[in-house]
Amino acid sequence: MTTPRPAAVIVLAAGEGTRMRSATPKVLHTIAGRSMLGHAIAGAQALEPERVVVVVRHGRDQVVAHLQQIAPDALVADQDDIPGTGRAVQVAMTTLDAAAQAGAVVALEAPGVPGSASDVLAQGAVVVVAGDVPLLDAGTLGELLAAHHADGNAVTILTTELEDATGYGRIVREPGTGDVLEIVEHRDASDEQRAIREINSSIYVFDAAVLRGALVGLGRNNAQGEVYLTDVVGIARAQGRHVRALRTDDPFAVEGVNDRAQLAVLRAELNRRLLDDWMREGVTVVDPATTWVDVDVELERDVTLLPGTQLQGTTVVREGASVGPDTTLTDVEVGPGATVSRTQATLAVIGEGVSVGPFAYLRPGTVLGRGSKVGTFVETKNTQLGEGAKVPHLSYIGDATVGEHTNIGAASVTVNYDGVHKHRTTIGAHARTGADNMFVAPVTVGDGAYTGAGSVIRQDVPAGALAVSAGAQRVIDGWVLRSRAGTAAATAAAAAGARTGPDELSPQARAELERAATAARGIPVTPPPRLPDQPAHLSEPRTPPPGNAQPGAAGTTEKDAR
């Protein structure tokens, strides 16, 4: 038999959550990539209700803003200063009935349809759930709703049994029938009632008409001075209606969160269940104790998750891929057969057969083509690598397009930011760039081009060309002995020169060794002439001598020096 759709699901999310000790409203704390309110909404929507109503109060603006993101069609009901779950459901029913009347007004505005919507009220089953019970799944809610309809109940309560029921409302059953006589809150319970282990989960299905009528008669005559929703049970019983309970053997499914310790326990339990489900679907999880997977993650068969892996958001890992160890992926797509090791990535696409890591960082906008590689200590951002392209080592490639089968040399950087704007670098297919290259964007390197090691590429490089920008290497013999006398480097250089022998040194190096030896004996020496590679100190005069001659090496003019 098909279970009718409920008229509404009411989510209670007005609590302050003082024991969380947080500026964040309790229902917005996350577990497995989804807020606790998000878990409640997901369970509610699985029942396909006509409407969802969320009751808010503490942290209202934050809760409503979040609700707009995850369930923009949900109705919002504001609880006033009157405390208690009974009052929360009262304002929810008022909002629900107003929505039903508004819908009827719209329908009655059709041509030729007379009548009034003032007496239109929500009819059918109304499900009430708490916003801080994250492990309550759609299957359990579906069973509760089905039992409600099958038994023709006015009220159906979801219960469970606990070894220690301290703090929970107790279910008092009628001997013989097992029907629920009443729910007694812990503070109001007698010693005999406190010995009962079956507890109220605060999850119910009500007949809308019964609930609406009972809410009118609720009072605050209890130890906490609150309007108790549980009092509806006694009112329904007094009217001769059926009040029954469905007991679940899974206490975690109905356990609420009051503090961060409970949140951690439920987070670990939900993660254990998610991993268990995935392993039964053909995913290898090497170390479940250190592997964390969010509820919206998708995994295909023969995926391997190595220790220390965290898959967050809407990450998808395709068949045969391996992720980890020590890897965090957020909203990332990993292609078939790809390998991602010791990597952090966000909003990236990793293609089929791609190799990433170890120690790679893929920032948003990264798209890695089939068979490409991002290697050790490489960071990418807003970058597309073509099929088979490689960035193997120690590089930053940002705002760039790299063609197929191109190899980027180690220690390369796309210089994409001029202090105001970001610019793009384009490197063609089958190009080979040298190590320690700087690509000053905007710049384009053509297909099949090469760039020399240590080059700064500021201008476009045509296809098939070689671009180099480094000058010829210069070696200045004896510079350390002359300019860094007395240092450890000078001592080591002098010792190396002694081992080498004077005949094997250049004339300049031999002169420097003799000068250093003379200085060590305390004999004054004439300082060597200034060489072109030794600019004058700023304190020395720079006025040129009379005439047009410019002083060069050893007093010659620049022309003579050349």
Side-chain angles (χ1 to χ4, degrees):
M1 182 179 67
T2 303
T3 303
R5 293 173 59 194
V9 177
I10 297 173
V11 181
L12 306 182
E16 186 174 2
T18 54
R19 280 181 280 178
M20 296 296 288
R21 298 186 180 276
S22 175
T24 300
K26 180 171 72 170
V27 295
L28 298 189
H29 284 263
T30 60
I31 172 172
R34 184 184 290 168
S35 68
M36 288 195 286
L37 177 59
H39 284 284
I41 293 293
Q45 291 175 334
L47 299 179
E48 299 182 346
E50 295 178 24
R51 290 183 174 88
V52 174
V53 184
V54 180
V55 183
V56 299
R57 177 168 171 76
H58 294 285
R60 180 196 185 281
D61 291 345
Q62 292 174 267
V63 174
V64 171
H66 180 65
L67 190 61
Q68 286 296 312
Q69 295 177 346
I70 63 173
D73 294 334
L75 302 175
V76 176
D78 288 285
Q79 185 169 354
D80 53 22
D81 292 337
I82 300 175
T85 54
R87 182 57 176 173
V89 174
Q90 282 178 342
V91 299
M93 287 299 295
T94 300
T95 301
L96 186 61
D97 287 340
Q101 292 171 6
V105 168
V106 172
L108 291 172
E109 287 178 350
V113 182
S116 170
S118 61
D119 58 348
V120 174
L121 300 173
Q123 300 295 328
V126 175
V127 182
V128 177
V129 301
D132 61 352
V133 185
L135 267 63
L136 178 63
D137 60 287
T140 301
L141 276 178
E143 291 177 6
L144 181 68
L145 184 62
H148 177 80
H149 285 288
D151 294 343
N153 296 337
V155 183
T156 309
I157 307 160
L158 185 62
T159 69
T160 194
E161 287 191 359
L162 300 176
E163 289 295 330
D164 181 4
T166 302
Y168 292 93
R170 305 306 203 277
I171 301 295
V172 180
R173 290 182 179 263
E174 183 179 51
T177 66
D179 287 0
V180 177
L181 287 174
E182 61 178 333
I183 302 172
V184 182
E185 295 299 324
H186 181 85
R187 292 186 181 183
D188 302 316
S190 65
D191 290 341
E192 182 181 358
Q193 290 169 333
R194 290 184 179 184
I196 297 172
R197 291 172 52 202
E198 186 178 13
I199 59 98
N200 174 31
S201 69
S202 299
I203 298 162
Y204 315 87
V205 182
F206 296 97
D207 176 79
V210 173
L211 177 61
R212 187 181 295 106
L215 289 171
V216 177
L218 296 185
R220 301 171 63 180
N221 185 25
N222 52 67
Q224 299 188 75
E226 296 183 0
V227 180
Y228 284 162
L229 182 61
T230 51
D231 290 345
V232 172
V233 171
I235 295 173
R237 288 280 304 183
Q239 295 173 352
R241 300 180 182 275
H242 292 298
V243 178
R244 296 189 173 98
L246 176 70
R247 184 166 56 201
T248 176
D249 295 328
D250 181 10
F252 281 115
V254 297
E255 184 172 343
V257 172
N258 291 308
D259 56 33
R260 298 185 194 245
Q262 288 178 308
L263 182 66
V265 169
L266 292 184
R267 181 182 288 120
E269 175 61 21
L270 179 54
N271 188 68
R272 185 194 66 77
R273 296 183 181 197
L274 290 168
L275 293 178
D276 187 69
D277 289 344
W278 284 122
M279 286 188 283
R280 295 181 189 280
E281 292 295 323
V283 174
T284 296
V285 182
V286 174
D287 184 15
T290 62
T291 303
W292 294 84
V293 175
D294 283 356
V295 291
D296 292 323
V297 167
E298 296 182 23
L299 305 174
E300 295 185 354
R301 66 178 185 175
D302 291 326
V303 163
T304 299
L305 304 182
L306 297 171
T309 294
Q310 300 179 65
L311 304 181
Q312 302 174 344
T314 57
T315 292
V316 178
V317 185
R318 301 297 182 192
E319 184 172 342
S322 175
V323 180
D326 306 323
T327 295
T328 301
L329 306 182
T330 304
D331 300 324
V332 172
E333 180 179 346
V334 180
T339 301
V340 185
S341 173
R342 288 190 168 87
T343 293
Q344 181 162 331
T346 303
L347 291 170
V349 176
I350 300 170
E352 180 179 358
V354 169
S355 173
V356 180
F359 309 113
Y361 181 23
L362 309 184
R363 293 167 57 189
T366 294
V367 179
L368 306 182
R370 183 175 181 270
S372 60
K373 175 183 177 65
V374 169
T376 310
F377 299 110
V378 173
E379 178 181 349
T380 63
K381 187 268 294 183
N382 192 24
T383 287
Q384 291 79 50
L385 293 190
E387 180 177 349
K390 296 180 180 181
V391 187
H393 322 284
L394 301 161
S395 297
Y396 169 70
I397 307 298
D399 297 300
T401 300
V402 179
E404 62 183 25
H405 300 291
T406 284
N407 188 86
I408 304 297
S412 292
V413 173
T414 56
V415 186
N416 57 329
Y417 185 47
D418 64 7
V420 179
H421 302 292
K422 300 290 180 68
H423 302 281
R424 197 157 191 85
T425 296
T426 300
I427 301 175
H430 297 277
R432 296 291 182 267
T433 71
D436 194 25
N437 275 192
M438 303 288 115
F439 298 92
V440 183
V443 71
T444 298
V445 177
D447 293 349
Y450 275 59
T451 61
S455 295
V456 179
I457 306 301
R458 294 185 172 89
Q459 298 176 352
D460 291 352
V461 181
L466 168 64
V468 295
S469 68
Q473 178 175 312
R474 301 170 65 194
V475 178
I476 303 170
D477 285 333
W479 183 89
V480 171
L481 293 171
R482 180 172 66 254
S483 300
R484 296 292 184 267
T487 65
T491 301
R499 290 194 300 271
T500 303
D503 293 337
E504 299 179 39
L505 297 177
S506 68
Q508 183 178 350
R510 288 198 298 271
E512 294 300 336
L513 281 174
E514 294 172 0
R515 190 174 293 106
T518 302
R521 294 194 297 271
I523 302 173
V525 296
T526 302
R530 183 175 296 116
L531 299 176
D533 54 89
Q534 293 179 289
H537 294 291
L538 294 179
S539 59
E540 296 184 14
R542 289 181 172 271
T543 304
N548 294 326
Q550 299 295 322
T556 64
T557 65
E558 289 187 353
K559 180 178 180 180
D560 294 333
R562 291 194 296 268

